[in-house]
Amino acid sequence: DTGVSQDPRHKITKRGQNVTFRCDPISEHNRLYWYRQTLGQGPEFLTYFQNEAQLEKSRLLSDRFSAERPKGSFSTLEIQRTEQGDSAMYLCASSSPESSYNEQFFGPGTRLTVL
Amino acid sequence: QQPVQSPQAVILREGEDAVINCSSSKALYSVHWYRQKHGEAPVFLMILLKGGEQKGHEKISASFNEKKQQSSLYLTASQLSYSGTYFCARLRGGGADGLTFGKGTHLIIQP
């Protein structure tokens, strides 16, 4: 399968714990995005990378959130000191450098539940 | 600043047609349409570009009125597989940055 993959698919954690999610984009896609989606809402942009450079961060991305893409391939999203309000689906998407209009392909997401 | 979609929900019988509308208060240079089934990731349907260019996907087509900053998605002769939530989205800014999504339109197709 050559689509976007995310790991884990589900994560249950206790409030205050740290969690880390991984995203593997479609091969050769240099743009990688993180979104958060809560029930009944559309995905909300968190951050994006072009190659290894993090080019934009949403105001939704508090200091407890950090994302990396060290070699320009896979990316990780870490949430420190999780809160119940962090419970959501975390989606990763990637886009090809040949896409003029930023056609994005999403992975299956990681569903986070903070107890 | 997110696009506004209407209606919020539609219930159809198989074979009926539907229209989903999307409007933006911010300038639209392109409109992206996605469909998401329950518990799954959004799936890219199409991009509409300024200039009124219309693109189609299976029996789903769309239009984009740049002047009115509106886009409409047309589902013709709906099939059960069309059920899901449809989102329109616009680029947050110029170039290769993220998308701002509408709240979605829930489409239920009944046999």
Side-chain angles (χ1 to χ4, degrees):
Chain A
D1 182 58
T2 57
V4 178
S5 61
Q6 293 187 245
D7 184 70
R9 297 290 305 276
H10 303 273
K11 179 70 177 179
I12 299 174
T13 191
K14 293 183 178 179
R15 190 175 51 187
Q17 299 293 307
N18 299 343
V19 293
T20 300
F21 311 140
R22 176 179 170 127
C23 170
D24 286 88
I26 294 172
S27 180
E28 297 179 359
H29 278 196
N30 66 336
R31 301 168 188 166
L32 187 147
Y33 306 82
W34 285 100
Y35 293 85
R36 180 174 68 187
Q37 186 176 26
T38 54
L39 197 62
Q41 301 295 318
E44 296 174 294
F45 171 79
L46 291 177
T47 188
Y48 93 97
F49 293 83
Q50 183 161 309
N51 301 311
E52 65 275 8
Q54 188 173 18
L55 296 185
E56 188 176 357
K57 292 194 289 187
S58 162
R59 283 172 290 182
L60 291 175
L61 213 67
S62 74
D63 292 344
R64 296 184 297 106
F65 289 70
S66 62
E68 293 183 343
R69 194 182 183 199
K71 296 182 180 179
S73 56
F74 73 91
S75 175
T76 58
L77 178 68
E78 180 183 16
I79 308 175
Q80 295 182 328
R81 304 181 303 280
T82 51
E83 302 173 354
Q84 288 187 325
D86 296 331
S87 295
M89 175 74 86
Y90 289 84
L91 294 163
C92 175
S94 70
S95 177
S96 167
E98 298 175 355
S99 169
S100 300
Y101 291 92
N102 204 10
E103 175 184 343
Q104 297 181 22
F105 296 91
F106 283 81
T110 294
R111 182 167 294 283
L112 173 66
T113 302
V114 182
L115 301 176
Chain B
Q1 290 186 342
Q2 67 185 146
V4 176
Q5 292 186 231
S6 64
Q8 289 185 324
V10 184
I11 300 175
L12 297 176
R13 294 278 183 197
E14 197 173 8
E16 293 181 338
D17 301 339
V19 180
I20 299 172
N21 299 303
C22 173
S23 64
S24 175
S25 57
K26 279 192 81 170
L28 282 176
Y29 301 99
S30 63
V31 178
H32 304 229
W33 285 96
Y34 287 81
R35 177 173 62 206
Q36 185 177 33
K37 293 183 180 288
H38 182 69
E40 299 180 9
V43 173
F44 173 78
L45 292 178
M46 65 185 73
I47 291 177
L48 282 298
L49 308 175
K50 64 180 180 179
E53 188 169 351
Q54 190 168 18
K55 294 187 177 291
H57 174 80
E58 298 174 345
K59 291 183 180 178
I60 301 173
S61 62
S63 63
F64 178 28
N65 187 321
E66 181 188 349
K67 284 186 178 179
K68 292 185 177 180
Q69 300 185 156
Q70 295 175 344
S71 178
S72 295
L73 191 70
Y74 306 96
L75 296 97
T76 305
S78 57
Q79 305 171 8
L80 294 175
S81 63
Y82 289 178
S83 291
T85 302
Y86 289 78
F87 294 99
C88 68
R90 59 164 178 80
L91 288 172
R92 287 167 49 82
D97 59 358
L99 295 171
T100 298
F101 284 80
K103 290 190 174 182
T105 295
H106 303 283
L107 179 64
I108 299 172
I109 311 294
Q110 297 177 336

